[in-house]
Amino acid sequence: MQRICVIGGSRYFGKLLVQQLLAAGHHVTVINRGSTPPPPGVEHLVADRDDETALTTALGSRTFDVVVDQVCYTPVQAAIAARAFHGRTTRYVMTSTIEVYDPATAALPAVPHGTPVPEDVVDPAAWQVRTDLPWHDTAYREAHYAEGKRQAEAVFTRDDGFAFASVRSAHVLGGGVREFTGRLAHYTERIGQGTEIAVHAEPLPTVFIHYEELADLLLWATTATDFTGPVNACSDEPLDVRALSAVIAAQTGREPVFRTVAAGSAASPFSFDRHYAMSNRRAKELGFSFSRTTDWLPAAVAEALDASAARAI
């Protein structure tokens, strides 16, 4: 049994991770702002992570074997957490994102199209940190989501208070109503209704992961391995937006209606005119096994269709 603290963990794969940790017999503490209580058997600390005094007060004298940070979006939040958990844990795992590799958001080394992007394309140890930027502003933070994640990883990487690992997640799908982003529903609803879907002329493949598989990987990263640094989390088999739509069309019996947009223009989710599909080689070498996207995507589409039908009633 380990003592594990989860910051966030109130919805989707984070909520599932908490349930899995509890089922495995670990002592689990969840920290959030109090709007969503954790499952029975989980210790609940109510604090705003942006308030360092409130966070350290809520923690009291507690120590943990591992902290799993599900909701760190800025270097300021990372710096607060690094100070608050200094001396309280020996391992810190942060959920990061594929968006750190988006070449539209930073000057990154070029990766040839079709080459899976490895972790070292974004090295947090060398990344510049700017805590003086307006990270407290919600609009700024949302507009600079990828950069916030890159800088948060950098802050934790340079802290010598604990071993640090980041899990850079692919686009997460599955779960029907649990999938709160609405990105898969964007396609199921438009294809079902015959509404146009905006795509690039030659959309490039991207990578996905099922929310249950991501929870499994986070469980592994938390309890079954001691790797440090970033690791990419994505199912095998990249898909472009047309291949994704074809899976949906097969279940709805309706062909998608595409509207082509120019390069650089806004398009539907998962239509990309730039390449940053991740490699999952490092995670495999460390011992994690991935599914194939097409193994679980049809069931995820069925859940999304059921959720859409329920909303229409």
Side-chain angles (χ1 to χ4, degrees):
M1 183 184 76
Q2 297 186 61
R3 295 183 61 86
I4 298 171
C5 177
V6 180
I7 307 175
S10 61
R11 61 181 179 178
Y12 210 25
F13 58 85
K15 182 177 181 179
L16 181 56
L17 172 64
V18 170
Q19 294 169 343
Q20 290 177 332
L21 289 167
L22 190 63
H26 300 291
H27 184 281
V28 184
T29 298
V30 164
I31 300 175
N32 61 31
R33 289 177 293 183
S35 58
T36 305
V42 173
E43 181 183 33
H44 188 197
L45 303 181
V46 177
D48 183 344
R49 67 166 305 147
D50 294 328
D51 185 334
E52 187 169 352
T53 299
L55 179 58
T56 54
T57 299
L59 288 169
S61 60
R62 293 172 179 82
T63 60
F64 307 96
D65 296 294
V66 189
V67 174
V68 186
D69 197 337
Q70 296 283 79
V71 289
C72 187
Y73 302 110
T74 75
V76 175
Q77 291 177 328
I80 289 172
R83 290 191 295 267
F85 286 96
H86 186 86
R88 297 180 188 271
T89 188
T90 57
R91 181 169 175 78
Y92 201 104
V93 178
M94 172 188 154
T95 303
S96 191
T97 173
I98 184 177
E99 302 300 332
V100 301
Y101 301 115
D102 186 351
T105 63
L108 300 173
V111 178
H113 288 186
T115 302
V117 179
E119 288 84 356
D120 60 9
V121 166
V122 175
D123 178 9
W127 203 262
Q128 183 182 25
V129 173
R130 291 284 307 278
T131 56
D132 58 320
L133 297 174
W135 296 112
H136 62 281
D137 181 81
T138 301
Y140 181 88
R141 186 168 63 242
E142 291 178 353
H144 297 82
Y145 172 72
E147 182 61 17
K149 286 288 192 179
R150 285 187 287 257
Q151 292 194 27
E153 286 190 40
V155 170
F156 285 128
T157 298
R158 294 168 192 170
D159 192 278
D160 60 2
F162 40 67
F164 173 67
S166 60
V167 174
R168 294 173 175 169
S169 171
H171 307 293
V172 189
L173 299 178
V177 294
R178 299 180 188 88
E179 201 273 284
F180 63 91
T181 69
R183 292 178 297 183
L184 187 55
H186 175 93
Y187 289 94
T188 56
E189 292 175 1
R190 279 164 175 73
I191 292 173
Q193 297 166 3
T195 306
E196 286 186 341
I197 300 170
V199 300
H200 296 100
E202 297 182 0
L204 297 171
T206 189
V207 285
F208 301 90
I209 191 166
H210 192 274
Y211 84 105
E212 292 177 346
E213 186 166 41
L214 181 54
D216 289 342
L217 188 143
L218 286 166
L219 178 67
W220 167 78
T222 303
T223 64
T225 181
D226 59 358
F227 78 88
T228 58
V231 67
N232 294 335
C234 58
S235 300
D236 291 334
E237 192 178 12
L239 296 177
D240 65 26
V241 66
R242 291 180 181 272
L244 172 67
S245 297
V247 175
I248 299 169
Q251 294 196 48
T252 60
R254 301 196 65 172
E255 290 300 313
V257 179
F258 296 116
R259 175 174 59 85
T260 301
V261 300
S265 299
S268 294
F270 312 135
S271 180
F272 295 103
D273 57 357
R274 56 202 184 276
H275 169 67
Y276 60 106
M278 299 187 299
S279 166
N280 60 15
R281 179 176 177 179
R282 184 177 190 226
K284 288 180 177 178
E285 291 175 344
L286 289 166
F288 191 84
S289 297
F290 290 96
S291 66
R292 295 181 65 84
T293 303
T294 50
D295 289 341
W296 53 259
L297 184 56
V301 168
E303 289 177 317
L305 289 168
D306 289 344
S308 295
R311 286 194 295 268
I313 295 175

